[in-house]
Structures are given as C-alpha cells and as structure tokens.
C-alpha cells in the first residue's frame, strides 16, 4: 500500500512526486513512456524561470533527477482504470493493480489529429507531430506546419534551421500564438503563411509525402503545393480515458478539481494539463504538482486520525 500513486511523469506528476516523497510519504510514479511528458517533444523552452533557454528533453532529465533524490519509486505501466475503495484506492494497469491511499492524476494530453486524407497513411513518412523528433530529417526540404497556436508557430520557427522553406497554414487570418512568438515568425525569412486555409489532403508516392492540397475557406480556391513534410499542431485532447467512469470529468473530458487539486473523489487529485484550466504550461503544471503533493500529505493525516 503506497501513500501516493502518481499517474504520469510529466512536469506535473514529477513535481507532485517530489513534494510527496520529500514529505516522507511512500510514492509510486507510473509512466507509460519516458519521464518528461510533452517536454520530450519540445525543442526549446525559454519561459521556465531559471533557464534562459533549455531544450525540452534536458529540462525533463533535470526534473527527473530532482525527483529521484527523494526516493520516489518508478513503475512502467499503462493505467487503464482507477477504483475508489473508500480509505484506499486502486490503480489498474494492464498487467498489475496497485493500491494507494491517494492518487494524483497527471496524465496530461496528446496532440490532436486533423483527420484528413493521407494523414494516417503518411504518418512517420512525412507527416509528424513532433519537430524536435523529426525536424532533422527535413534538411533543405519544403515543409507545411498546420495550426496557428503557440505550438505551430514556435515549432515552425525551430524547423527553419533545417528546412529551406516553412509554410504555416492557418484556418483564420490571425494567429492565436503569443505576440512575441508571432513577431519572430513574421521576421523569419524562411516562413510564409497561407491564411484562411485548411489542409484537405496529403499526397505522395509509395514511400513519402510529395504534395498537399489546400483550400481557402473564404474563396474556396484550391491550391496544390509541393511538400516534403507536414507538421500538425492543431491542439490537444485530454488523456482521460482511464477515468471516464470515475465521475470527475467535464463534458469535454478534462478533469475538474478545486483549488487544492482535489477531484470529486476525496483522496484523488489531478494536476497539470489534464485539468480543466486556462493556461497549460510547464510552470502551471509544476505549480499544480506542488499543491497536490502537499494536499495528499494533509489528506493522509486525516485518515490516520
Ligand atoms: P504531460 O507533459 O502531457 O505529461 C503527462 C505524462 O503522463 C506523459 O509522460 C504520458 O506518457 C503519461 N501518461 C498519460 N496517460 C498515461 C496512462 N494511461 N498511464 C501511464 N502514463 C500515462 N510549455 C511551456 O511552459 N513552455 C514551452 O515552451 C512549451 N512548449 C511546448 C511545445 C509543444 C510542441 C507542446 C506540445 C507543448 C508545449 N508546452 C510548453 C506545454 C507543456 O509541455 C505542457 O503544459 C506540460 O508538459 C504539461 O505537463 P503535464 O505533466 O501536465 O502533462
Ligand atoms: P492551441 O492553442 O489549442 O492551438 C491550436 C491551433 O490549431 C489553433 O490556432 C487552431 O485554430 C488550430 N486548429 C484547431 N483545430 C483545427 C483544425 N481542425 N484545422 C485547422 N486548424 C485547427 O494548441 P497548441 O498550440 O498546441 O497549444 C496548446 C497549449 O500549450 C496552449 O496552452 C499553449 O499556450 C501551450 N504552449 C505553450 C508554448 C509556450 O509557452 N512557448 C508553446 C507551445 C504550447 P484557431 O486559432 O482558429 O482556433
């Protein structure tokens, strides 16, 4: 029986584990991949205090080292379900069930797919959702980036170090990205824009992507564009399938909590991007994690009385 079971080892889960284990609680952190979460797919981070600029995987590793120090146990596993048994909880993985007095959900979210023709067919053969993973394969190539948010624009800028040309395709005539990121993109000679446009199809030969078809949503004009790679950044979906029967999700699938990160189930907390919140960032994930680690300690004290 663990005091705390943390599900997910992104910045939110790692911070929750750090705070809980530093309070002398026994902590198990379950992760289905490498610790770091979305930071592992992020090129450069320049808005995490203390670092002028740090590569996402480097920050992930530094955070992991900090957690390790306080004795958190790690387990590889894909969490499928949780069960509230009153004074204790169960976390059910594919091959094993764990018991804990509290659960901290930190499963974050994942990139949304566009659902256009060719997207699935060419995934890994020219279609990507991760510039830091795949950008280097596209030296001197022509790339499309789909989306107008922080991810799309920031990763488009990152891709210009490899690509000869990066075209940002956005469905409106105004970007959603933060102003400072927009300004950098506008000043970058390798970046151009297809405004009011959506990607309708990705085409290619047997092996790789060679082109794409865009449609202007205002004029309905169709444009065929020679393309070597398509990077898709059209938002995020919560990773909350394992909790869908727990009665803790809002209508869009994000976990609802109070200010102490507690869900509708006493002793079950949620932190980071998986939560219903307005700003999904590393700083806010880390803040949530600290609060939940501390609140788990307080909750366990009430059980012991
Ligand atoms: P995540 O980082 O999503 O971690 C969740 C973890 O849970 C993952 O490791 C996942 O594998 C694991 N998990 C999920 N489901 C299960 C399951 N069923 N069983 C076991 N494990 C599971 N923020 C910034 O502050 N600055 C930036 O510059 C920045 N750049 C970004 C660039 C990109 C391309 C993207 C996509 C995001 C960026 N963000 C940035 C946002 C930031 O990465 C997130 O806000 C942050 O990572 C959220 O942390 P988290 O711990 O809540 O979730
Ligand atoms: P996002 O902010 O939700 O932006 C998604 C973009 O994709 C929007 O521009 C949206 O268009 C577009 N889009 C959505 N569905 C589409 C569709 N079906 N077809 C075409 N376009 C579509 O997602 P994100 O950029 O991934 O950012 C997610 C979170 O991470 C945000 O909170 C963001 O601030 C954070 N983040 C932060 C940083 C940073 O701080 N440096 C970097 C990356 C991400 P509309 O604008 O028209 O809705």
């Amino acid at each position: 029986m663990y005091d705390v079971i943390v599900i997910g080892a992104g910045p939110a889960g790692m911070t929750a584990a750090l705070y809980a284990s530093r309070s002398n609680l026994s902590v198990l952190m379950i992760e289905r991949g490498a610790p770091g979460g979305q930071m592992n797919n992020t090129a450069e981070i320049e808005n995490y205090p203390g670092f002028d600029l740090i590569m996402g995987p480097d920050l992930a590793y530094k955070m992991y080292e900090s957690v390790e120090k306080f004795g958190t146990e790690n387990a590889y596993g894909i969490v499928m379900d949780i069960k509230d048994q009153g004074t204790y909880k169960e976390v059910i993985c594919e091959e094993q069930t764990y018991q804990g007095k509290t659960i901290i959900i930190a499963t974050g979210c994942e990139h949304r797919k566009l659902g256009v023709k060719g997207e699935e067919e060419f995934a890994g053969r020219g279609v990507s959702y991760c510039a830091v993973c795949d950008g280097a394969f596209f030296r001197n190539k022509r790339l499309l980036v789909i989306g107008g948010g922080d991810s799309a624009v920031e990763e488009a800028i990152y891709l210009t170090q490899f690509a000869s040309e990066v075209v940002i395709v956005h469905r409106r005539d105004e970007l959603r990205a933060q102003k400072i990121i927009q300004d950098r993109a506008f000043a970058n000679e390798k970046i151009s824009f297809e405004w009011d446009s959506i990607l309708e199809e990705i085409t290619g030969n047997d092996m790789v992507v060679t082109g794409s078809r865009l449609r202007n949503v205002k004029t309905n004009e169709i444009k065929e564009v020679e393309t070597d790679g398509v990077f898709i950044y059209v938002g995020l979906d919560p990773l909350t399938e394992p909790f869908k029967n727990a009665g803790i999700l809002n209508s869009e699938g994000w976990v609802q909590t109070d200010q102490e990160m507690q869900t509708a189930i006493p002793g079950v907390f949620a932190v980071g991007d998986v939560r219903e919140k307005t700003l999904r960032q590393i700083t806010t994930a880390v803040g949530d994690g600290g609060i939940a680690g501390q609140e788990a300690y307080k909750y366990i004290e009430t059980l012991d009385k």
Side-chain angles (χ1 to χ4, degrees), residues 8 10-12 31-32 37-38 42 47 77 79 106-108 272-273 280-282:
E31 170 59 54
R32 62 177 188 174
Q38 294 169 64
T42 301
N47 56 359
V79 172
T107 47
D273 276 15
R280 293 196 168 86
Q281 294 274 283
I282 299 164

Side-chain angles (χ1 to χ4, degrees), residues 1-5 25-28 85 87-90 98-102 303:
M1 173 77 70
Y2 291 92
D3 289 323
V4 181
I5 299 179
L25 300 178
S26 59
V27 182
L28 175 71
Q85 307 289 14
T87 52
Y88 75 98
K89 329 279 173 205
E90 285 180 336
Y98 299 96
Q99 293 181 339
K101 294 178 187 165
T102 61
L303 287 182

Side-chain angles (χ1 to χ4, degrees), residues 38 42 44-47 109 111-116 146-155 169-172 174-178 181 197-199 233-236 273 278-282:
Q38 294 169 64
T42 301
E44 292 166 347
I45 294 163
E46 61 168 15
N47 56 359
C109 44
H111 58 75
R112 191 175 293 152
K113 294 213 166 104
L114 252 185
V116 296
I146 316 297
D150 287 340
S151 295
V153 181
E154 224 172 34
E155 300 309 301
V169 179
H170 186 37
R171 62 184 178 183
R172 296 188 287 131
E174 208 180 5
L175 296 172
R176 176 182 292 273
Q178 299 163 52
I181 300 174
S197 296
I198 56 169
L199 175 68
Y233 291 101
V234 292
L236 304 163
D273 276 15
T278 50
L279 185 62
R280 293 196 168 86
Q281 294 274 283
I282 299 164

